[in-house]
Amino acid sequence: FLMEIALQPCGILSAYLGSSLILPADVNTFRNLDGTIRFHASPSLAGKTVAQKARLLSSVFSSGMMIQKYAFELSLEDRAFLSGESSFGYFRPSAMEQQTGLEDTYGSTPFDQKELLSLNIPRMPTAESSARHLDLLDELHFQAGGGRYGQGLIVGNRLLDGSEWFYRNHFYQDPVMPGSLGVEAIAQALWAFLNQGQPETANSTARLDFSNAAALQWKYRGQVIPSNRKLQFEADIKNTTPTGEFRQVLADAAFRVDGRKIYAIENISLNMREG
């Protein structure tokens, strides 16, 4: 939700400035490409009003597409708690269909099925159907000592059938899964990791935040559309303090659709405090 609050006004500003009006009519697919977020604080936002500022930094038209870069900031009572930059692009639909994804130097991180520990998947504690929109995982597993950094590996997946709710809502006449939901799935996996062996914590008053000295970075070079059937990600843990009153985990992640790597996430952090 923080990503959407931060990024949606960039798209609104792009439309307000008339960006698409100078483009050929068939250059009409709008996508977020990459970005960086720094968390300066993690205040409680319940019942509060969040102010957002978006500023266009550059706009370049070349080879039948337009790339724009924005700076953004979220604040509460005139104090910024989050800031960053992000790039967006206008493309022809044919360019979207030809995307090959991201370079996959490591491939899917190897792991031994016998070494995998199943993790309890966090669920919203309500029966309302709308709350289940954020149930993004079918399976979640953990390998101690695995992953690129030897600190542990989290593997998650979800099967799709093309009827998922987000296709009807994002975008109009251009159904695609929001990239922020992929990041959300990984954040939920980190939450499950911090809760392993302590399932009661998930439904307690624990306070979560994403603050870390390292900036969260993401790169999107592919999309999830109704014809796709499987989502999978691997989160390579870089640093962790999984026990005690203050628990934290920092990871890099690769997100795939039908086996192809389309998102790269660096320095995704989750902290859990009593509160």
Side-chain angles (χ1 to χ4, degrees):
F1 286 126
L2 288 173
M3 290 185 76
E4 291 295 329
I5 293 171
L7 298 178
Q8 284 188 18
C10 297
I12 294 170
L13 177 56
S14 181
Y16 177 79
L17 294 173
S19 303
S20 63
L21 301 181
I22 67 172
L23 298 173
D26 61 340
V27 182
N28 53 26
T29 299
F30 185 69
R31 293 288 187 270
N32 182 231
L33 298 174
D34 49 52
T36 300
I37 285 179
R38 292 189 178 277
F39 292 89
H40 309 298
S42 293
S44 174
L45 302 179
K48 307 290 181 61
T49 297
V50 176
Q52 200 274 12
K53 293 181 180 179
R55 180 164 53 98
L56 177 65
L57 300 179
S58 63
S59 186
V60 178
F61 179 72
S62 177
S63 302
M65 61 184 179
M66 176 181 281
I67 305 297
Q68 296 182 321
K69 187 172 184 178
Y70 288 84
F72 55 81
E73 179 182 279
L74 299 186
S75 60
L76 188 66
E77 299 174 347
D78 296 325
R79 294 192 63 180
F81 65 88
L82 177 157
S83 64
E85 295 185 354
S86 189
S87 297
F88 297 78
Y90 288 89
F91 306 93
R92 289 184 169 88
S94 58
M96 293 291 97
E97 295 171 0
Q98 296 169 9
Q99 285 184 301
T100 58
L102 287 162
E103 182 180 3
D104 206 359
T105 306
Y106 296 94
S108 179
T109 307
F111 53 87
D112 187 338
Q113 291 285 347
K114 296 179 181 178
E115 298 178 356
L116 291 180
L117 168 71
S118 293
L119 295 179
N120 291 323
I121 299 173
R123 301 296 189 192
M124 295 295 171
T126 175
E128 296 179 11
S129 60
S130 60
R132 293 197 295 272
H133 283 348
L134 292 183
D135 287 347
L136 301 173
L137 303 168
D138 291 334
E139 293 183 341
L140 197 56
H141 302 281
F142 172 67
Q143 181 188 29
R148 192 185 312 174
Y149 306 106
Q151 299 295 311
L153 173 71
I154 304 173
V155 180
N157 65 64
R158 167 147 182 204
L159 298 179
L160 306 172
D161 62 16
S163 66
E164 284 69 27
W165 65 271
F166 42 76
Y167 293 131
R168 300 188 298 274
N169 292 272
H170 181 275
F171 294 106
Y172 177 63
Q173 296 183 343
D174 180 19
V176 62
M177 175 181 172
S180 59
L181 285 183
V183 178
E184 168 68 18
I186 297 166
Q188 289 185 11
L190 300 184
W191 183 21
F193 167 74
L194 290 180
N195 276 303
Q196 63 174 330
Q198 305 175 72
E200 70 283 353
T201 308
N203 295 318
S204 74
T205 56
R207 179 178 173 183
L208 304 175
D209 71 60
F210 305 97
S211 59
N212 194 277
L216 168 66
Q217 300 181 60
W218 70 93
K219 182 178 291 184
Y220 301 151
R221 292 297 186 272
Q223 57 187 352
V224 181
I225 57 178
S227 61
N228 293 132
R229 289 296 173 261
K230 185 176 182 180
L231 303 179
Q232 181 180 338
F233 66 83
E234 303 97 40
D236 295 286
I237 296 175
K238 302 171 75 172
N239 187 30
T240 181
T241 305
T243 59
E245 292 187 2
F246 174 66
R247 282 171 271 163
Q248 61 180 337
V249 58
L250 179 70
D252 292 345
F255 188 91
R256 307 173 193 281
V257 58
D258 293 338
R260 187 174 74 257
K261 180 180 176 182
I262 59 171
Y263 305 164
I265 315 295
E266 294 185 14
N267 299 324
I268 181 167
S269 174
L270 187 65
N271 306 320
M272 180 183 292
R273 296 178 174 85
E274 296 298 323

